[in-house]
Amino acid sequence: MLGAMAAKNPNDDPLAPVTLAVGQEDLLLDRAVQHVVAAARAADADTDVRDMTADQLQPGGLAELTSPSLFAERKVLIVRNAQDLSADTVKDLKAYIAAPVEDISLVLVHPGGAKGKGLLDAARKGGAREVACPKTTKPAERLTFVRQEFRALGRSATPEACQSLVDAIGSDLRELASAVSQLTADVEGTIDEAVVGRYYTGRAEASSFNVADRAVEGRAAEALEALRWSLATGVAPVLITSALAQGVRAIGKLSSARGGRPADLARELGMPPWKIDRVRQQMRGWTPDGVAVALRAVAEADAGVKGGGDDPEYALEKAVVTIARAARSRR
């Protein structure tokens, strides 16, 4: 989970002698480095920062970089792609980690994995501070990231706004962080779904989830327009069938669930409470037979976009129209 990204060692001192930034999420790796640099410069405005890639740190180079200075200045040494360091340089680093120099903060940036693991193990054994920066792979993790970004900036955003932003922007954390920063700079008060829509309309319309929402609401023309826009802007057809499946399944799960408060249903169905409210509004025209028809349409479209048909676009259009009709079966 993203919560683990912020989790650090109990002795969480950014000026620790050695910091490991481990993972493959570039934004989080950069932030881990920036945190150390900012702390060092807060302690000493004249801090000397050396930012190097593995090929720039040659055997013997560490001794020169860590040698005492006439001016006794604080230093931050950043080594990126630490997994690519030569064996002799790794030997130098292991020796240094065992006896670090005062007022020097060494930051090793490493993707994790087997390559260069010996250096990681040595640093961990030596008590290095570690910041985990794993790649975000789940929508829920990106949603948590957006919420944390708003919170870190001291701003409030509704759950629907956070979800809309993730749907509109996608999986790139840098772009999500930039969008949060722009919204908080430009908008006063609580940021809601309407605000996100105004700022990111083009991207939201290209979202596969926007196609699904319009389809399950029975708005065939709007769903087809959103579908064509999505395909024209490069959205993968398989993402659209996935969104359609999620939308129809949510209708089916909620329609067969016991009545109750959104919070109770959220726990029972594994959905956030705000989504319960949205799906309740979307399911008004649905019948059990309609859900069955829509699920078959999604399955056929999924087969069509994965090679079972000659025209993925037609398969998706057919599914969208069928789902929109099913959404009106009770009207």
Side-chain angles (χ1 to χ4, degrees):
M1 293 296 294
L2 279 181
M5 296 179 186
K8 309 181 178 72
N9 286 355
N11 299 321
D12 183 23
D13 179 7
L15 297 180
V18 181
T19 290
L20 294 176
V22 183
Q24 298 179 35
E25 189 60 69
D26 289 341
L27 173 67
L28 300 179
L29 291 169
D30 285 347
R31 285 184 174 181
V33 170
Q34 291 162 10
H35 189 200
V36 175
V37 172
R41 285 181 169 156
D44 180 354
D46 295 323
T47 293
D48 181 18
V49 178
R50 305 291 181 92
D51 196 333
M52 303 162 284
T53 55
D55 60 332
Q56 292 173 319
L57 183 59
Q58 298 298 316
L62 186 64
E64 181 181 346
L65 289 167
T66 57
S67 61
S69 165
L70 290 175
F71 302 101
E73 67 206 358
R74 182 178 291 277
K75 292 182 180 179
V76 177
L77 305 179
I78 303 153
V79 182
R80 299 182 186 270
N81 308 115
Q83 77 280 6
D84 294 329
L85 290 164
S86 70
D88 287 339
T89 303
V90 168
K91 189 181 298 182
D92 292 345
L93 280 165
K94 287 181 177 179
Y96 176 82
I97 289 167
V101 177
E102 188 176 1
D103 290 334
I104 292 181
S105 298
L106 173 65
V107 184
L108 299 175
V109 182
H110 194 291
K115 188 177 182 182
K117 187 173 182 294
L119 178 59
L120 284 183
D121 291 342
R124 287 164 175 158
K125 187 176 180 180
R129 166 181 175 265
E130 184 168 347
V131 184
C133 307
K135 198 77 174 174
T136 58
T137 58
K138 300 177 181 177
E141 292 175 342
R142 293 190 281 275
L143 189 59
T144 299
F145 173 80
V146 167
R147 289 171 177 161
Q148 290 175 345
E149 288 292 290
F150 278 119
R151 195 176 302 123
L153 292 171
R155 295 298 300 277
S156 175
T158 66
E160 294 86 353
C162 293
Q163 183 65 56
S164 292
L165 197 59
V166 172
D167 290 347
I169 300 297
S171 60
D172 190 310
L173 290 198
R174 287 189 191 279
E175 291 193 28
L176 285 169
S178 176
V180 170
S181 179
Q182 179 181 11
L183 287 168
T184 55
D186 292 355
V187 180
E188 294 183 359
T190 299
I191 294 162
D192 59 20
E193 189 175 16
V195 169
V196 174
R198 286 200 300 273
Y199 271 73
Y200 299 99
T201 297
R203 300 182 76 158
E205 286 176 355
S207 163
S208 55
F209 288 100
N210 193 53
V211 178
D213 283 341
R214 301 296 83 78
V216 299
E217 289 163 5
R219 295 153 66 178
E222 292 176 41
L224 287 171
E225 182 181 354
L227 170 64
R228 288 159 188 158
W229 181 265
S230 294
L231 294 172
T233 53
V235 176
V238 69
L239 295 180
I240 299 173
T241 56
S242 176
L244 290 170
Q246 289 182 49
V248 175
R249 285 178 190 140
I251 298 286
K253 286 167 70 175
L254 189 55
S255 63
S256 61
R258 300 188 304 273
R261 297 177 304 167
D264 296 331
L265 286 169
R267 284 191 295 272
E268 180 184 343
L269 302 177
M271 298 180 191
W274 67 264
K275 189 169 184 179
I276 297 291
D277 290 334
R278 175 181 286 183
V279 176
R280 270 181 169 162
Q281 295 174 356
Q282 293 174 332
M283 63 185 281
R284 289 172 183 162
W286 286 87
T287 64
D289 287 343
V291 171
V293 167
L295 286 173
R296 284 196 297 273
V298 171
E300 290 173 4
D302 189 53
V305 303
K306 291 179 178 176
D310 297 327
D311 190 342
E313 183 174 345
Y314 172 73
L316 285 169
E317 288 183 355
K318 183 179 176 183
V320 163
V321 170
T322 302
I323 292 167
R325 286 175 179 166
R328 296 178 173 274
S329 53
R330 186 176 281 164
R331 299 176 191 180

